[in-house]
Amino acid sequence: MIQILIITIFIPISFYYLLRTLGKVDSMMVSELSQRKIPLIIQAVLIVTLIQKSITIDRVPELFFFFFGGLISTLLTLIFLFGKIKASIHMIGISSLTAFVVGLSLHNQVNFIYYIAFLILMNGVIASSRLAMKAHTNIELGIGFLVGLIPQVALGFFWL
């Protein structure tokens, strides 16, 4: 868990401050399409490192497929960026987590209905907040939702 914490939180925060110092990003929101490429490439490299060294398919297959789905979502977001299409990374994250918790509930045959309901509510809250902040359009939110959801559902068939 410490490795996950370091690779998914502490190192990305460090890279953010480095990129901000170098002038590669102007704010935490990274609204410019061109500014999103470097952080997404860094994220992809960190996820690859995580699934190769720490969360292998032999140790924890559920987390392996969750992070592998996150890698697929990151790469899809990069592909969309090169096509000048912006996807909401917030929606990617919350929809991925929602699909993963649903999969865990099915896999372990445990009733996570309250967690799932909360996460579905959070999908709406996050989408609403991104619209209220004028950070995204409805289409960008929809693309983000699908980019997060589809890889998790597709990979769910391998570990469910």
Side-chain angles (χ1 to χ4, degrees):
M1 292 305 288
I2 292 173
Q3 292 172 342
I4 294 172
L5 189 68
I6 290 169
I7 291 177
T8 61
I9 295 175
F10 295 130
I11 293 175
I13 288 172
S14 300
F15 272 114
Y16 166 72
Y17 284 114
L18 175 67
L19 292 173
R20 180 114 188 219
T21 303
L22 296 174
K24 299 295 182 184
V25 295
D26 57 2
S27 72
M28 184 73 80
M29 295 301 186
V30 191
S31 57
E32 298 282 328
L33 288 177
S34 61
Q35 293 179 0
R36 290 176 159 233
K37 292 175 185 172
I38 294 173
L40 285 171
I41 291 169
I42 292 169
Q43 179 180 345
V45 169
L46 291 173
I47 293 173
V48 167
T49 304
L50 186 65
I51 62 177
Q52 281 185 339
K53 304 294 181 190
S54 300
I55 309 296
T56 62
I57 196 166
D58 299 331
R59 290 185 191 160
V60 189
E62 295 88 355
L63 279 179
F64 172 83
F65 284 112
F66 174 68
F67 283 110
F68 189 63
L71 177 62
I72 293 170
S73 295
T74 302
L75 295 175
L76 286 172
T77 306
L78 267 170
I79 290 168
F80 284 138
L81 279 179
F82 286 108
K84 305 285 190 238
I85 299 171
K86 184 178 172 186
S88 172
I89 297 172
H90 287 89
M91 287 305 296
I92 292 170
I94 194 67
S95 65
S96 293
L97 182 61
T98 304
F100 178 68
V101 171
V102 169
L104 273 181
S105 180
L106 294 171
H107 179 68
N108 295 328
Q109 297 180 355
V110 177
N111 187 1
F112 288 157
I113 193 71
Y114 295 113
Y115 298 118
I116 294 168
F118 175 75
L119 287 170
I120 291 171
L121 176 67
M122 288 298 101
N123 274 271
V125 168
I126 289 170
S128 298
S129 72
R130 304 308 290 160
L131 287 172
M133 293 175 65
K134 296 184 178 17
H136 291 288
T137 64
N138 288 335
I139 293 172
E140 294 167 351
L141 292 171
I143 291 170
F145 180 80
L146 292 174
V147 167
L149 182 73
I150 292 171
Q152 293 297 327
V153 171
L155 290 172
F157 290 108
F158 291 103
W159 63 272
L160 284 179

